[in-house]
Amino acid sequence: LAKTTQPISMDSYEGQEVNITCSHNNIATNDYITWYQQFPSQGPRFIIQGYKTKVTNEVASLFIPADRKSSTLSLPRVSLSDTAVYYCLVGAKQAGTALIFGKGTTLSVSS
Amino acid sequence: EAQVTQNPRYLITVTGKKLTVTCSQNMNHEYMSWYRQDPGLGLRQIYYSMNVEVTDKGDVPEGYKVSRKEKRNFPLILESPSPNQTSLYFCASSFLGQGGEKLFFGSGTQLSVL
């Protein structure tokens, strides 16, 4: 399984756009990229998932360059409630394999 | 409401006393898994199950057992708990969507082993 590397922490202010980059140099052809958000004492929550190029939903955008060795989660106009830990996962396009969450990126949003 | 339900939410026990943490999902998902979360270590997978009666080890399976006798239930069993198993535990169910696997997590079980 591809190992991922993310910044340990990031700080931002309300209203700013936040970009969190994840490196996955050993990503395999069948691997997809998924981001989860976790608030303290809660289980992680699915944010967005993609395989290549750009994916956008009502919460975030995910940018994946052509070589797929990295990906960037973009959160537009963050608010205090976006303070959380964000995890980047890389896994095969099949369920059941052991997913590795890593330590994630702690995003702190201030007013 | 679609959800993954874990019980209990909090559990304090003593070393060696067998315990079971239950997990149930109502989304008819094929796949289920257990994770533990420790400060500074992130989430680590303990066991996962691809279907009824099909389970496999994750990253940190030592000291844990699981069973999947029904599709909706996936209990985590600690036969002889030890203090190093004090942790926050999460159960998840998942399905294989168009892009790949998507996990849905329970609210967690905070376990303290004295």
Side-chain angles (χ1 to χ4, degrees):
Chain A
L1 290 172
K3 181 179 178 180
T4 60
T5 302
Q6 307 174 230
I8 294 297
S9 62
M10 295 182 69
D11 296 313
S12 182
Y13 291 97
E14 285 189 291
Q16 290 188 334
E17 178 185 75
V18 171
N19 296 308
I20 306 174
T21 298
C22 178
S23 296
H24 28 78
N25 291 319
N26 297 322
I27 190 168
T29 303
N30 286 339
D31 285 343
Y32 59 92
I33 300 153
T34 311
W35 286 80
Y36 287 83
Q37 174 192 57
Q38 186 182 24
F39 298 113
S41 299
Q42 294 185 28
R45 182 177 71 101
F46 173 89
I47 301 175
I48 197 166
Q49 185 177 73
Y51 184 76
K52 60 181 178 180
T53 63
K54 177 184 175 182
V55 180
T56 297
N57 61 22
E58 64 278 5
V59 177
S61 294
L62 178 59
F63 299 93
I64 305 169
D67 66 6
R68 302 200 328 120
K69 293 184 182 298
S70 67
S71 59
T72 299
L73 174 72
S74 181
L75 304 172
R77 297 179 298 281
V78 295
S79 64
L80 296 175
S81 63
D82 292 315
T83 294
V85 179
Y86 292 83
Y87 295 96
C88 165
L89 271 72
V90 174
K93 289 185 77 173
Q94 59 189 41
T97 54
L99 293 173
I100 301 173
F101 267 78
K103 299 179 183 180
T105 298
T106 298
L107 173 65
S108 299
V109 181
S110 304
S111 57
Chain B
E1 180 189 354
Q3 60 185 0
V4 177
T5 303
Q6 290 179 234
N7 280 298
R9 183 72 177 88
Y10 300 94
L11 179 59
I12 300 174
T13 189
V14 295
T15 300
K17 186 175 181 181
K18 180 180 179 180
L19 66 90
T20 299
V21 183
T22 63
C23 175
S24 180
Q25 52 102 357
N26 63 1
M27 294 170 279
N28 201 36
H29 288 165
E30 296 280 338
Y31 315 105
M32 297 186 74
S33 50
W34 275 101
Y35 294 81
R36 64 176 287 174
Q37 186 168 37
D38 303 288
L41 295 178
L43 279 151
R44 294 179 293 169
Q45 191 181 70
I46 303 171
Y47 268 96
Y48 62 89
S49 170
M50 295 184 68
N51 212 327
V52 175
E53 303 291 3
V54 180
T55 62
D56 208 345
K57 297 177 181 178
D59 266 349
V60 288
E62 293 78 21
Y64 305 94
K65 284 178 58 177
V66 292
S67 69
R68 187 95 181 273
K69 299 187 186 308
E70 305 167 278
K71 193 174 186 179
R72 64 181 290 124
N73 296 322
F74 191 44
L76 179 69
I77 304 158
L78 284 71
E79 296 271 3
S80 182
S82 62
N84 64 12
Q85 292 179 298
T86 292
S87 186
L88 179 58
Y89 291 86
F90 290 103
C91 177
S93 71
S94 57
F95 73 99
L96 190 58
Q98 190 172 14
E101 187 176 7
K102 294 180 175 65
L103 282 78
F104 296 80
F105 285 83
S107 299
T109 296
Q110 181 65 59
L111 172 65
S112 295
V113 183
L114 306 176

